């Protein structure tokens, strides 16, 4: 326990963790099984273009998710784009601003207009009454994001979509392995898009998938991801190269096998965080409705500056100096980023909850490499930070910030990366 402000690493004390704990560290999977699959791919001579590994991966995903069609693609952004094209979206698509920038960028890149609606404070997913205010004659779809794995308010959004004759789609990049009530996420709405990026609980290094029970959407997705090619001498539509490689599918299959263990560890870690952070004034672990089961891949904490005594950004700096590389996803908020910032066409309604949460949330490290003892130490660190908040705030203003030696955000390390 840090007893004096001067013991905090941000003010020059020793860092709590010499080996940093990282949000987004790729999850380990069974190396032998992966290498065995890599050898199978190399032996087969089929490295990409819809080989047996991708087909097996799609089949296993469909069985796991309880959905009829899975179309594996090269990454989550491509999944969003292929899904939008296959659903023949036009004009405007309503999305939350509290999401990774890929959600609106994928649409904008397709010539669609992302329109930002506000979110619900508790689930941090689209607020149906805000969505309703964004719908107009140009709207072709609502694209909900199951943020942090919290399911959207599917029923209300589906009702809105039905009433207005528009599609309901989901960006499910955070929600692999999560459920909406008893139903696995992956078969909701017209279609869902997943990311299997290396930082995700279910990963294929780079990769993604569109999942759907709509056969015609699945068929169009398969065409679009492969240049619209339907046969050796037949091209049926416009398309792009969004294919998943056999090596990515080999990684994905291996990752899928370790998923139950990873979810178990993450859920345990979330419980440890709740216990250790309970009672720290101004901190709240954000968790969604208990009737849904989560993969707990993100541990999201809200910092109430007035109660805690330090802003979220100050807490982040204190933690990072100690070797706890927490993040503030998704600052600055998509509606504050180019090309959307300051454009009422993208933000026709106010986003008060989004703006509040963008100032409050941070994500703490979890996953298989984060132990109960690590979480105990992080809890103690946050407790001491709150206890010394006044002094820390004062001294952090005066003193030069000290960085963890391995922090990639350290100005000299960041500058070297930029130059390279
Ligand atoms: N929709 C949503 C809601 C999403 O969250 C995402 C992706 C997408 C769509 C698009 O899917 P993709 O097209 O990416 O498949 C990361 C990921 O790059 C991104 O995939 C993810 N969301 C987003 C939430 O997080 P950054 O900017 O945090 O990445 P980076 O490089 O800072 O890595 C995070 C930490 O992990 C770092 O401390 C380093 C560490 N790391 C990372 C990688 C890749 C490693 O230790 N090893 C690694 O190989 O974006």
């Amino acid at each position: 326990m840090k007893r004096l402000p001067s013991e905090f690493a941000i003010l020059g004390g020793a860092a709590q963790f010499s080996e940093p704990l990282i949000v987004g560290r790729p999850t380990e999977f069974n190396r032998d099984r992966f290498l065995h699959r890599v050898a199978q791919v190399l032996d087969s001579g089929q490295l990409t273009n819809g080989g047996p590994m991708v087909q097996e991966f799609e089949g296993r995903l469909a069985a796991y998710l309880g959905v009829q069609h899975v179309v594996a693609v090269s990454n989550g952004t491509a999944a969003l784009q292929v899904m939008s094209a296959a659903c023949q979206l036009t004009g405007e698509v309503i999305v939350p601003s509290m999401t990774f920038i890929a959600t609106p960028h994928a649409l904008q890149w397709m010539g669609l207009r992302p329109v930002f609606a506000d979110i619900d404070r508790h689930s941090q997913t689209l607020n149906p009454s805000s969505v309703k205010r964004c719908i107009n004659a140009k709207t072709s779809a609502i694209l909900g994001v199951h943020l942090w794995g919290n399911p959207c308010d599917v029923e209300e959004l589906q009702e809105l979509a039905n009433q207005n004759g528009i599609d309901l789609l989901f960006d499910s990049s955070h929600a692999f392995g999560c459920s909406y009530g008893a139903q696995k996420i992956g078969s909701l709405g017209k279609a869902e898009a997943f990311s299997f990026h290396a930082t995700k609980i279910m990963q294929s290094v780079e990769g993604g998938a569109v999942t759907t029970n709509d056969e015609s959407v699945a068929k169009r997705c398969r065409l679009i991801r492969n240049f619209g090619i339907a046969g050796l001498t037949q091209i049926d539509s416009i398309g792009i190269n969004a294919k998943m490689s056999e090596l990515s599918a080999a990684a994905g299959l291996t990752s899928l096998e370790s998923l139950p263990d990873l979810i178990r560890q993450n859920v345990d870690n979330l419980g440890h965080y709740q216990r250790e952070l309970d009672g720290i004034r101004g901190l709240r672990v954000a968790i969604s409705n208990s009737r849904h089961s989560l993969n707990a891949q993100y541990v999201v904490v809200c910092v109430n500056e007035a109660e805690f005594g330090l802003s979220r950004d100050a807490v982040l700096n204190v933690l990072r100096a100690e070797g706890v590389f927490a993040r503030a996803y998704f600052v600055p908020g998509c509606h504050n980023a180019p090309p959307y910032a300051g454009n009422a066409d993208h933000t026709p309604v106010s986003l008060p909850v989004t703006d509040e949460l963008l100032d409050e949330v941070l994500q703490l490290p979890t996953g298989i490499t984060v132990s109960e003892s690590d979480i105990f130490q992080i809890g103690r660190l946050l407790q001491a930070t709150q206890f010394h908040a006044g002094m820390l705030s004062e001294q952090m203003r005066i003193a030069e910030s000290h960085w963890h030696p391995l922090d990639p955000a350290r100005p000299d390390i960041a500058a070297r990366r930029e130059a390279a």
Side-chain angles (χ1 to χ4, degrees):
M1 176 85 161
K2 311 244 172 195
R3 288 190 183 80
L4 297 168
S6 59
E7 290 175 15
F8 282 80
I10 190 122
L11 297 176
Q16 184 96 24
F17 297 95
S18 53
E19 194 57 46
L21 301 173
I22 295 173
V23 174
R25 165 145 285 166
T27 47
E28 274 284 326
F29 49 58
N30 187 303
R31 212 170 272 217
D32 290 341
R33 284 195 208 152
F34 174 58
L35 293 177
H36 177 69
R37 287 190 166 109
V38 169
Q40 278 182 299
V41 171
L42 298 179
D43 289 345
S44 78
Q46 180 85 38
L47 304 186
T48 185
N49 286 8
M53 233 11 116
V54 167
Q55 285 170 30
E56 184 184 346
F57 186 44
E58 291 181 338
R60 293 269 194 95
L61 290 177
Y64 178 83
L65 296 172
V67 67
Q68 282 173 31
H69 309 282
V70 173
V71 182
V73 293
S74 48
N75 56 61
T77 307
L80 288 165
Q81 292 175 325
V82 168
M83 177 174 78
S84 308
C87 292
Q88 298 165 322
L89 302 189
T90 57
E92 300 186 357
V93 179
I94 300 169
V95 292
S97 167
M98 186 73 173
T99 179
F100 190 53
I101 196 71
T103 314
H105 272 6
L107 299 170
Q108 180 84 4
W109 195 269
M110 301 287 296
L112 298 162
R113 177 184 292 157
V115 171
F116 300 111
D118 208 8
I119 51 176
D120 169 72
R121 197 163 217 298
H122 187 65
S123 69
Q124 304 191 13
T125 64
L126 278 177
N127 175 340
S129 56
S130 180
V131 171
K132 192 174 179 179
R133 281 185 278 125
C134 294
I135 296 177
N136 63 42
K138 286 177 267 171
T139 310
S140 62
I142 302 165
L143 175 62
V145 178
H146 304 301
L147 197 76
W148 324 128
N150 295 338
C152 291
D153 188 342
V154 178
E155 277 163 42
E156 292 263 339
L157 293 176
Q158 189 65 67
E159 203 174 311
L160 268 181
N162 294 347
Q163 281 164 3
N164 291 280
I166 57 178
D167 287 339
L168 177 61
L169 303 166
F170 294 103
D171 178 340
S172 310
S173 297
H174 294 185
F176 196 89
C178 300
S179 303
Y180 175 71
Q183 186 178 0
K184 273 257 157 48
I185 282 177
S187 56
L188 302 168
K190 187 166 188 177
E192 305 199 48
F194 287 92
S195 164
F196 303 140
H197 184 259
T199 53
K200 298 283 186 279
I201 191 165
M202 169 47 226
Q203 61 120 338
S204 60
V205 185
E206 290 276 2
V210 181
T211 62
T212 181
N213 282 325
D214 184 320
E215 198 174 339
S216 60
V217 169
K219 202 169 160 205
R220 281 197 292 275
C221 283
R222 290 186 195 287
L223 272 176
I224 292 164
R225 78 168 163 187
N226 187 30
F227 316 100
I229 295 175
L232 267 186
T233 56
Q234 189 185 338
I235 295 161
D236 274 8
S237 72
I238 190 167
I240 196 166
N241 182 357
K243 289 170 274 120
M244 174 178 274
S245 79
E246 290 289 279
L247 291 177
S248 273
L253 279 165
T254 317
S255 178
L256 188 60
E257 286 161 1
S258 32
L259 189 71
D261 290 341
L262 290 176
I263 292 182
R264 206 170 307 122
Q265 169 90 32
N266 280 349
V267 169
D268 286 352
N269 282 355
L270 183 62
H272 301 323
Y273 270 118
Q274 283 180 285
R275 190 187 62 229
E276 296 305 331
L277 270 52
D278 186 37
I280 302 181
R281 191 148 51 93
L283 284 194
R284 179 175 65 85
V285 179
I287 41 165
S288 96
N289 195 323
S290 56
R291 82 186 174 93
H292 309 305
S293 67
L294 301 180
N295 60 26
Q297 80 176 305
Y298 292 99
V299 174
V300 183
V301 172
C302 294
V303 182
N304 180 323
E305 181 174 352
E307 288 179 19
F308 191 86
L310 284 176
S311 69
R312 183 274 318 278
D313 288 344
V315 175
L316 207 56
N317 291 340
V318 169
L319 287 172
R320 290 188 74 98
E322 300 290 349
V324 181
F325 291 176
R327 293 291 293 252
Y329 290 128
F330 288 105
V331 175
C334 300
H335 68 295
N336 295 319
Y340 319 110
N343 186 335
D345 287 344
H346 290 287
T347 314
V349 297
S350 62
L351 308 174
V353 178
T354 303
D355 287 330
E356 264 172 44
L357 287 171
L358 283 169
D359 282 342
E360 286 180 16
V361 293
L362 60 80
Q363 295 74 35
L364 293 171
T366 189
I368 224 111
T369 53
V370 176
S371 67
E372 185 173 355
S373 143
D374 294 332
I375 295 169
F376 173 78
Q377 291 183 64
I378 293 171
R380 284 302 170 98
L381 197 53
L382 284 165
Q383 204 179 355
T385 305
Q386 200 281 316
F387 184 78
H388 294 295
M391 292 283 276
L392 277 171
S393 166
E394 187 63 25
Q395 296 195 20
M396 278 159 69
R397 250 196 303 277
I398 303 163
E400 191 191 331
S401 280
H402 288 77
W403 293 80
H404 192 278
L406 299 176
D407 193 336
R410 232 173 80 157
D412 56 328
I413 297 181
R416 266 206 306 278
R417 202 176 45 234
E418 290 293 306

